C-alpha cells in the first residue's frame, strides 16, 4: 500500500507516492540548533544506549555480555539477544521511541533493535532530501523525506533490514527485528547489559552487521546459577567496515 507524502512547514508537497510508508511533516525546527525536537530526542536516546526487555519479575537477574572479535578486541554495534527457557515471553518492549534519524548525512543509530511488530519513526534532520530504501527479505520499502519530514513503518517480520540512501550511497544502517524478549546493542566497549531476566537458563546470541554471509553467529546457553557472572561471546571473522564520511558536496535534489 502506498502513502502520499506531505510537505514540512513552508515546503512544497513531494508529489509522489511512497511505497509502504506513512510520511508526514515533522515538528518545526529548533531556533537554536535548526533541528526538530524529535531529532534531539533520538540523539539523547541513542547516546544513552539501547536495551529492550519485558517487565522484570521479583527474582530478576542482570547479565552483562561482552562481544569481541577473534583477537579479543571489543566489538561495537553488535546485537545481543537473550531467550529464557520455559514459557515463551513476548518480544521485548522498547523503553523509548524507535527512531532512525538522518543527521549529517548519516543514519543514527547505525544499528537499531526493533521488537517484532514495532513501529520505527524515520526522521530527516538534514538540510537535504534523503531517499531511504531497503530491499531486504524482512522488509522492502522506499520513500523520500524532505528536510523536517518524518515517516513511520511497522515491522512484523523478524530479520535484518539493511537501509541505504539512493542519494547518498555512503549512508548505511541496519534494523534488527527480533522476537527475543531481551535485546541490547553493544557500545564501544563491546558490552551489552540485559536487565530483568527471569531466574532460568537463557540462550544468549550475538549478531553484528559485518558478519560474513553464511557465518554462524555465536550462541551460548547460560544456566540460571551463572546469570550474574560476566559472559563473553566471540564473533567469527568480520568483513571490513565500509562506512565512509559524509558526501563533501552535500547536494540535494
Amino acid at each position: 500500500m502506498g502513502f502520499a507524502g506531505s510537505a514540512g512547514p513552508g515546503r512544497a508537497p513531494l508529489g509522489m507516492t511512497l511505497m509502504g510508508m506513512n510520511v508526514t511533516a515533522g515538528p518545526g525546527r529548533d531556533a537554536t540548533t535548526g533541528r526538530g525536537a524529535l531529532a534531539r530526542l533520538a540523539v539523547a536516546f541513542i547516546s544513552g544506549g539501547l536495551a529492550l526487555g519485558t517487565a522484570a519479575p521479583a527474582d530478576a537477574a542482570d547479565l552483562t555480555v561482552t562481544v569481541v572479535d577473534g583477537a579479543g578486541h571489543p566489538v561495537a554495534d553488535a546485537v545481543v539477544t537473550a531467550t529464557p527457557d520455559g514459557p515463551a515471553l513476548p518480544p521485548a518492549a522498547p523503553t523509548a521511541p524507535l527512531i532512525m534519524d538522518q543527521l549529517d548525512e548519516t543514519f543514527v543509530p547505525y544499528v537499531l533493535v526493533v521488537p517484532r511488530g514495532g513501529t520505527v519513526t524515520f526522521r530527516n534532520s538534514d538540510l537535504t532530501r534523503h531517499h531511504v530504501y531497503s530491499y531486504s527479505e524482512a522488509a522492502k520499502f522506499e520513500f523520500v523525506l524532505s528536510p523536517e519530514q518524518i515517516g513511520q513503518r511497522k515491522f512484523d517480520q523478524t530479520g535484518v533490514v539493511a537501509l541505504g540512501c539512493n542519494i547518498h550511497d555512503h549512508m548505511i544502517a541496519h534494523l534488527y527485528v527480533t522476537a527475543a524478549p531481551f535485546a541490547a546493542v553493544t557500545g564501544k566497549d563491546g558490552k551489552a547489559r540485559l536487565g530483568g531476566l527471569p531466574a532460568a537458563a537463557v540462550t544468549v546470541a550475538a549478531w553484528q552487521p559485518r558478519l560474513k554471509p553464511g557465518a554462524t553467529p555465536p550462541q551460548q546457553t547460560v544456566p540460571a546459577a551463572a546469570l550474574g557472572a560476566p559472559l563473553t561471546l566471540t564473533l567469527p571473522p568480520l568483513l571490513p567496515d565500509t562506512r565512509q564520511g559524509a558526501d563533501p558536496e552535500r547536494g540535494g535534489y
Side-chain angles (χ1 to χ4, degrees):
M1 178 181 298
F3 296 87
S6 59
R11 299 186 182 276
L14 288 178
M16 64 180 296
T17 298
L18 309 181
M19 183 177 70
M21 287 295 302
N22 182 15
V23 180
T24 61
R29 290 183 178 273
D30 180 87
T32 302
T33 64
R35 300 189 177 100
L38 184 56
R40 297 196 304 276
L41 173 61
V43 173
F45 170 49
I46 293 159
S47 64
L50 171 63
L52 308 182
T54 58
D59 56 350
D62 295 340
L63 178 65
T64 298
V65 181
T66 302
V67 179
V68 299
D69 61 17
H73 300 135
V75 177
D77 301 313
V79 177
V80 177
T81 59
T83 304
D85 287 352
L89 297 175
T95 57
L98 299 171
I99 299 172
M100 178 57 72
D101 204 356
Q102 293 121 70
L103 181 64
D104 296 331
E105 294 184 7
T106 303
F107 285 116
V108 181
Y110 175 51
V111 176
L112 178 65
V113 176
V114 180
R116 184 180 60 193
T119 297
V120 176
T121 296
F122 294 81
R123 163 80 192 197
N124 184 0
S125 296
D126 274 333
L127 299 178
T128 184
R129 288 186 180 184
H130 290 298
H131 185 169
V132 181
Y133 71 91
S134 177
Y135 299 138
S136 301
E137 183 177 346
K140 295 179 173 63
F141 61 91
E142 62 178 311
F143 56 94
V144 175
L145 291 179
S146 292
E148 298 184 13
Q149 279 194 313
I150 62 173
Q152 291 186 317
R153 192 183 197 282
K154 185 178 180 182
F155 293 87
D156 291 317
Q157 182 174 337
T158 59
V160 177
V161 179
L163 301 175
C165 176
N166 267 329
I167 304 173
H168 310 98
D169 289 341
H170 60 271
M171 293 178 61
I172 302 170
H174 300 80
L175 306 179
Y176 189 89
V177 185
T178 180
F182 300 91
V185 179
T186 59
K188 292 181 179 180
D189 59 358
K191 296 184 183 299
R193 295 169 179 83
L194 303 171
L197 278 70
V202 297
T203 299
V204 182
W207 172 89
Q208 215 272 353
R210 293 190 289 123
L211 283 174
K212 294 181 178 180
T216 301
Q219 179 175 298
Q220 184 171 332
T221 298
V222 181
L227 282 180
L231 173 67
T232 298
L233 294 178
T234 302
L235 294 171
L238 299 173
L239 296 169
D241 192 340
T242 59
R243 285 177 289 174
Q244 302 175 7
D247 183 350
E249 296 183 0
R250 301 186 64 82
Y253 77 89

